[in-house]
Amino acid sequence: MSRAVLCFGSVNIDDIYAVPGIVQSGQTIASTGFKVLAGGKGANQSVALAKVGPDGTWVLDLMRQHGVDTSLVVVDAGQATGRAIIQVSSSTHDNAIVLHAGANHQIHTRDVDRALAQFGVCDLVLLQNEINTDATVHLMQQCSAKGMLVCLNPAPCPSNLAQQLPLPLVDILILNASIMSVLPRLCILVVTLGQDGVVAATRHTAEGPEGCHTVRLPVQRAVARMHSVMAGSGANSLNHTASLDGPGDSDAARLAAMRRLIRPDLVAEALAVGMLAAGLQVEQARSH
């Protein structure tokens, strides 16, 4: 039986400005281009549960056109949809982002419980760090109790991440910076490197054979000019590559599912496909 993936995260409206260089304090500059796109790490990673304001329903329409199940997304009439103001430097391809959380910070524990009623053992949950922390903590605790696999992509990543979130409950960690804690269940670590590509490390847990493998991929030709706004999108295709199937209702079933995910060849293939897909998204956006 195939297992389900729940992506729990943010939905934003992205205002993207092309600029010669990132604006400095006290400086006023003219942009060379402007566009509005659907955004938010949850939406970008195929969101299944989030909140938007009435101004963001067009984002849900776009997601449904791409085959995303948005039935668990809540429209909060009292809040505006989250918004990101993004500067992209045409010279360095770096970016600077100002976020307004909006409805993304209005997730309640009842929203979590309602969604999780549809998921079970060995299903996978993908989390980011753009919603209110109390909801994320509750979700991680409930998913762990249900025997689900927890994948965390903490972006933005605060310096006190280990104090904010129960990291020992994480099975797969995707990082946008070089931070690492001692996580007993962690089997796969993915670090996105912007224009330098992506590196992933897999390790067997204490319950399995010893060994650690590292996979590094450069930016593919299709994404050679991809800026870091989309840097983390390729890594998340890992969650959709392996079939998390098989019976069981215990930690043994979870470990068996993880062992199917940590094959180095499977990880490399997933990252390569994801990077190319992210590059096509960027190229398509530029063509409009």
Side-chain angles (χ1 to χ4, degrees):
M1 180 177 63
S2 182
R3 298 295 181 178
V5 176
L6 168 66
C7 183
F8 182 108
S10 59
V11 175
N12 286 336
I13 298 172
D14 288 353
D15 296 329
I16 303 177
Y17 297 84
V19 292
I22 304 301
V23 68
Q24 303 298 308
S25 177
Q27 182 183 24
T28 300
I29 62 175
S31 68
T32 58
F34 170 74
K35 56 189 172 185
V36 178
L37 298 177
K41 294 190 181 301
N44 288 342
Q45 296 171 9
S46 301
V47 66
L49 186 152
K51 277 194 174 182
V52 299
D55 58 334
T57 54
W58 67 270
V59 180
L60 303 185
D61 294 337
L62 181 63
M63 290 161 59
R64 283 190 285 267
Q65 292 174 19
H66 287 80
V68 177
D69 181 357
T70 63
S71 61
L72 295 175
V73 178
V74 177
V75 178
D76 189 333
Q79 293 286 334
T81 300
R83 191 171 290 263
I85 298 176
I86 305 172
Q87 300 177 59
V88 181
S89 170
S90 57
S91 58
T92 66
H93 304 293
D94 291 331
N95 68 74
I97 304 174
V98 177
L99 283 176
H100 172 64
N104 293 319
H105 275 199
Q106 301 299 319
I107 304 292
H108 302 290
T109 55
R110 62 178 178 271
D111 299 321
V112 174
D113 295 339
R114 175 175 59 89
L116 288 184
Q118 304 181 35
F119 296 85
V121 175
C122 290
D123 286 340
L124 188 144
V125 60
L126 174 61
L127 309 171
Q128 305 84 33
N129 196 35
E130 290 186 344
I131 64 171
N132 42 304
T133 302
D134 58 331
T136 301
V137 171
H138 180 72
L139 179 70
M140 293 174 69
Q141 293 170 339
Q142 296 303 308
C143 288
S144 179
K146 291 172 73 76
M148 296 175 64
L149 302 174
V150 177
C151 176
L152 176 65
N153 177 204
C157 188
S159 59
N160 63 341
L161 178 67
Q163 286 72 48
Q164 286 192 6
L165 300 178
L167 295 184
L169 302 181
V170 174
D171 296 289
I172 302 174
L173 181 62
I174 300 174
L175 297 177
N176 296 339
S178 299
I179 65 169
M180 181 65 179
S181 300
V182 178
L183 303 175
R185 286 172 45 162
L186 186 65
C187 296
I188 302 176
L189 173 65
V190 179
V191 181
T192 59
L193 305 173
Q195 296 187 69
D196 292 327
V198 62
V199 62
T202 65
R203 72 172 183 181
H204 293 274
T205 60
E207 295 90 342
E210 295 183 359
C212 180
H213 301 276
T214 302
V215 176
R216 179 160 186 166
L217 294 178
V219 174
Q220 303 296 321
R221 179 179 179 184
V223 292
R225 295 177 59 81
M226 179 177 68
H227 55 72
S228 57
V229 170
M230 294 293 293
S233 299
N236 291 294
S237 69
L238 176 64
N239 302 314
H240 305 287
T241 302
S243 176
L244 302 180
D245 52 3
D249 56 358
S250 66
D251 281 346
R254 180 187 62 80
L255 288 171
M258 285 304 303
R259 287 182 180 127
R260 287 194 290 275
L261 278 172
I262 62 177
R263 286 171 33 203
D265 59 331
L266 179 62
V267 173
E269 179 182 354
L271 294 178
V273 171
M275 290 175 69
L276 288 171
L280 289 174
Q281 289 179 349
V282 172
E283 291 174 356
Q284 288 172 358
R286 287 174 174 166
S287 66
H288 293 302

